[in-house]
Amino acid sequence: MRFDERGQSTVEFALILPLIMLLLLCLLQAGTMFRDQLLVSAAAREAAREASVTTDTSRVQAAADRSAPGLDLSIRLERGPKRGDVARVEVSARPVALPLVGAIVSNRRVSSTASMRVETSRVETSK
């Protein structure tokens, strides 16, 4: 073995390791965004279901929050006053950002819309 080549593989590994770590963080960030999109979709469905049976917006917000724990959700609700009208809910949130690669998604939002028919026309109060 020649002495001038000793440690070559260590140096090469040290040079490539940051790139490998950055690639892994990017993959984790993509997976996190996919998970957040699924959570927001579930929150929109649950909020639309709640909006179809009640006019209480705090109950609609609570239903969405239960479906997507850990996300700061913003909800926009459109609900017709009569039975058979459409209750439409749009839910959006900022995805969880990982260190180093979080700047890629820092200004993006994940969102989903769900609609259901209004099942009741009477004004309900929260219990």
Side-chain angles (χ1 to χ4, degrees), residues 48-120:
R49 176 67 185 134
E50 192 66 32
S52 73
V53 296
T54 186
T55 58
D56 187 3
T57 56
S58 63
R59 287 178 60 183
V60 173
Q61 178 76 41
D65 289 337
R66 280 191 307 270
S67 294
L71 290 179
D72 184 24
L73 301 175
S74 62
I75 294 177
R76 191 168 64 94
L77 171 64
E78 299 171 8
R79 184 185 191 276
K82 299 181 307 203
R83 212 162 130 153
D85 287 345
V86 174
R88 178 172 288 119
V89 178
E90 181 181 345
V91 179
S92 65
R94 289 199 184 280
V96 175
L98 295 176
L100 298 177
V101 295
I104 297 169
V105 297
S106 63
N107 59 351
R108 301 191 193 282
R109 294 185 74 80
V110 291
S111 64
S112 183
T113 304
S115 302
M116 291 195 180
R117 295 278 179 200
V118 174
E119 294 180 11
T120 180

Side-chain angles (χ1 to χ4, degrees), residues 26-40 71 93-98 101-102 104-106 108-110:
C26 286
L27 288 172
L28 282 173
Q29 183 65 59
T32 302
M33 281 189 67
F34 182 70
R35 178 195 65 107
D36 292 346
Q37 179 63 51
L38 290 175
L39 287 174
V40 167
L71 290 179
R94 289 199 184 280
V96 175
L98 295 176
V101 295
I104 297 169
V105 297
S106 63
R108 301 191 193 282
R109 294 185 74 80
V110 291

